[in-house]
Amino acid sequence: MDSKMDMTFYFSSKFNLLFQSWNISSAGQLAGVLVGIFVVVLFYEGLKMSREVLLAVTLKRKGVMSAPTSTTPLLTIQQAYKSNSGPRFAIVLIHLLQFGLRIVEVGLAYLLMLAVMTFNGWLFLTVVLGTAVGYFVSNLVKWSCLPLLG
């Protein structure tokens, strides 16, 4: 393969993915990559949902609110962490867990972005489809878990 990079979408089973040594050269390899990318996108969407559920559990335990969402005012979240209820050590552990999950989430997002930037149409469609399916399934799970929080 030459070092010229396509700047328009193309549909081919021959391309490099992220690294020069990750050379996809057959339809079977392409199918494997597409399944792998789809699973990574599902994991990414599930990770985003799990951070929201973790926040909901934290705020519920602190007695601030019953079901926070991504639109929960930052002031409410800050009040929950500043209140004196609960051990400080638990708050620090939850914050570190949120921090770690966020690092993984951002790392996956950038890797998926770079995969799409290969301009392979099959990869682009797989990421879009995986995002849609992942969002749908994650929200079904999230909305079925939130009533359990009370």
Side-chain angles (χ1 to χ4, degrees):
M1 297 191 78
D2 60 4
S3 62
K4 180 184 172 294
M5 183 174 165
D6 289 311
M7 298 302 286
T8 58
F9 282 107
Y10 63 95
F11 291 86
S12 174
S13 62
K14 297 181 182 188
F15 63 97
N16 289 335
L17 179 64
L18 299 179
F19 300 103
Q20 192 70 20
S21 61
W22 290 5
N23 188 15
I24 311 304
S25 58
S26 70
Q29 289 176 331
L30 177 63
V33 165
L34 295 181
V35 168
I37 292 287
F38 189 81
V39 169
V40 169
V41 174
L42 291 179
F43 177 74
Y44 170 75
E45 288 294 328
L47 188 61
K48 289 190 330 186
M49 180 272 304
S50 67
R51 288 186 58 235
E52 287 185 28
V53 171
L54 180 61
L55 177 63
V57 169
T58 303
L59 293 179
K60 175 64 178 167
R61 284 186 181 168
K62 295 193 71 62
V64 174
M65 59 190 330
S66 59
T69 65
S70 58
T71 60
T72 300
L74 182 58
L75 185 60
T76 303
I77 296 170
Q78 288 173 340
Q79 289 169 347
Y81 282 103
K82 286 182 180 178
S83 70
N84 292 327
S85 63
R88 287 301 268 175
F89 182 72
I91 293 171
V92 170
L93 282 180
I94 290 171
H95 182 68
L96 286 174
L97 180 59
Q98 284 275 10
F99 176 73
L101 291 174
R102 178 67 179 163
I103 288 172
V104 172
E105 181 183 332
V106 170
L108 285 175
Y110 276 109
L111 284 176
L112 290 169
M113 176 198 65
L114 288 172
V116 168
M117 288 178 62
T118 63
F119 289 97
N120 185 291
W122 299 120
L123 280 177
F124 173 75
L125 292 174
T126 300
V127 169
V128 170
L129 181 64
T131 301
V133 170
Y135 179 82
F136 181 77
V137 171
S138 293
N139 276 312
L140 284 178
V141 171
K142 178 175 73 174
W143 292 114
S144 66
C145 287
L146 287 179
L148 299 175
L149 299 174

